[in-house]
Amino acid sequence: RAEILRNLSIEERVIKGPVLKRGKQICEEIQTNPEVMAAMDTLAAEMGVPAERVHKEVASYLKEMAADFSMLTIEMACIFMTLVFNRIYHEMVVDQPGLEKVREAARKTPLVLLPCHRSHIDYLVLSYIFYTNGLIPPHIAAGKNLNFFPVGRWFRRAGAFFIRRSFKDNKGYTLAFREYLKKLVQEGFWIEFFIEGGRSRTGKMLTPKFGMLKVIVDAIKSGAAPDVHFVPVYVGYEQVIEEQAFSRELGGGEKKRENLGALISATKVLWAKYGRLYVNFGDPISCREALDRHEEQLARDAKAGVAQVGRQHDPDMLFLRRLGY
């Protein structure tokens, strides 16, 4: 009986995910965490400002950022996406053997999905495939530019959390982002982000960015969760919907900002056909196993007297680069 219940619990986690919490509750739990409160007080002391001010800023950033996941929204969105995808694509070709490997990895740990990024359709397609194959859709890192009326709230309810393009010099925002992502890992939510950072305009892969990857690896190191599996995903199109816009931008044209007008004009894609859409899944990579191999290599290097010199040879950075690529 215990074995049956254990396996049922595993399958339930794969299909339903962890216990869902409203975005407001997630933010409150982060803000009242003693470690986070201490980090905010330390930051306030470094900046020479009242601690209350930093606490308010971090609370504001978390509210701006946090997803508010709703399965009802996912179900409604998938009905709508079925109609749209059937209208604009001849076929959606999904790597079913690869998807089964993903399902097996999900029985062991939460997943971090890392698709390549060529179109705004990428945001939708993985959630759609997971839902229609009985898997919990992920929380998705989305640019703040997509948080516009009227779709921002809908995206948020579908699992999107919005992040700014650049916040390197904003220590309060960096703290909020790090703790939010760590909380998602700790709670066991599946996460999706684009390791290239932005959409490729040429169809070629862009070099990986390491910011979000570092936060998740650090969360595993700190014991926030025992492990996650990174899943490389290829999403390919016979014809990209944004093809004309990319051609204009590559020719020196200015990138148009996402807004209600752009959303309305985008409805014209419903009257065109874009061939086939392909989704392939790479072998899931255990973060813990990768870290263990890295630490074993460092121990062997130390024993052999191999020195690591300078930032480019920093062991942690080398590990992130190898993992990212």
Side-chain angles (χ1 to χ4, degrees):
R1 183 183 296 175
E3 184 66 14
I4 289 170
L5 290 172
R6 188 182 72 84
N7 282 285
L8 284 172
S9 175
I10 290 171
E11 291 304 310
E12 185 178 31
R13 188 174 69 239
V14 171
I15 294 168
K16 292 174 62 179
V19 176
L20 284 179
K21 297 178 180 178
R22 296 300 302 267
K24 184 178 179 181
Q25 182 182 350
I26 291 281
C27 294
E28 287 174 353
E29 289 180 5
I30 293 171
Q31 293 169 67
T32 55
N33 182 301
E35 292 183 5
V36 179
M37 292 177 72
M40 289 190 285
D41 291 342
T42 301
L43 179 60
E46 289 177 2
M47 296 171 65
V49 298
E52 185 181 347
R53 175 179 160 184
V54 173
H55 283 248
K56 285 183 178 179
E57 284 185 0
V58 169
S60 172
Y61 294 144
L62 287 170
K63 183 179 179 181
E64 171 190 310
M65 190 182 303
D68 196 16
F69 195 97
S70 161
M71 279 307 300
L72 177 61
T73 302
I74 292 289
E75 288 164 1
M76 293 172 62
C78 283
I79 293 171
F80 173 72
M81 285 190 285
T82 297
L83 299 174
V84 171
F85 289 158
N86 287 342
R87 178 70 187 83
I88 66 176
Y89 293 115
H90 293 300
E91 184 182 7
M92 186 180 289
V93 184
V94 179
D95 170 23
Q96 288 296 336
L99 187 58
E100 286 308 308
K101 289 182 182 179
V102 172
R103 192 190 303 272
E104 186 59 38
R107 292 188 174 106
K108 302 171 185 174
T109 75
L111 303 179
V112 177
L113 306 170
L114 301 167
C116 59
H117 197 16
R118 290 176 170 81
S119 169
H120 280 311
I121 296 295
D122 301 337
Y123 290 102
L124 309 176
V125 75
L126 280 184
S127 293
Y128 177 78
I129 288 171
F130 273 38
Y131 179 80
T132 55
N133 283 274
L135 296 168
I136 185 72
H139 280 56
I140 306 166
K144 189 186 172 187
N145 57 308
L146 293 176
N147 187 19
F148 63 90
F149 180 82
V151 296
R153 179 171 171 75
W154 180 80
F155 282 151
R156 204 181 288 273
R157 297 288 281 166
F161 58 96
F162 298 103
I163 55 177
R164 300 179 182 182
R165 287 291 179 188
S166 177
F167 50 87
K168 184 172 61 174
D169 298 326
N170 188 333
K171 294 182 179 179
Y173 191 93
T174 300
L175 174 62
F177 170 70
R178 183 183 70 234
E179 294 301 331
Y180 181 73
L181 202 54
K182 182 179 177 181
K183 180 67 172 176
L184 292 183
V185 172
Q186 191 173 37
E187 292 288 329
F189 292 113
W190 297 2
I191 300 169
E192 173 188 335
F193 69 90
F194 301 102
I195 198 165
E196 297 167 275
R199 288 176 294 167
S200 169
R201 265 63 176 171
T202 63
K204 295 181 179 180
M205 292 290 291
L206 306 176
T207 55
K209 306 293 189 296
F210 305 113
M212 290 189 68
L213 191 64
K214 183 179 188 305
V215 174
I216 292 173
V217 169
D218 286 346
I220 300 304
K221 283 182 177 180
S222 70
D227 194 9
V228 295
H229 272 87
F230 295 110
V231 183
V233 186
Y234 167 77
V235 184
Y237 306 86
E238 287 188 343
Q239 184 180 354
V240 178
I241 285 176
E242 299 95 330
E243 183 178 52
Q244 290 184 354
F246 289 169
S247 296
R248 185 182 66 252
E249 289 171 26
L250 289 169
E254 187 177 349
K255 180 182 181 295
K256 290 186 178 180
R257 186 176 180 180
E258 287 80 5
N259 52 38
L260 182 58
L263 178 66
I264 293 170
S265 66
T267 57
K268 64 185 179 183
V269 306
L270 297 174
W271 310 108
K273 286 287 188 182
Y274 295 91
R276 291 179 177 82
L277 185 156
Y278 299 89
V279 182
N280 292 339
F281 297 92
D283 290 338
I285 301 165
S286 163
C287 182
R288 173 49 58 194
E289 290 178 9
L291 279 168
D292 289 345
R293 287 194 298 270
H294 173 63
E295 288 167 4
E296 288 169 6
Q297 183 62 50
L298 287 179
R300 285 196 294 270
D301 289 348
K303 191 174 181 180
V306 178
Q308 302 287 346
V309 182
R311 177 174 170 78
Q312 69 233 26
H313 298 295
D314 175 65
D316 291 338
M317 195 61 206
L318 282 173
F319 171 75
L320 283 175
R321 287 181 63 83
R322 288 171 183 150
L323 184 62
Y325 276 98

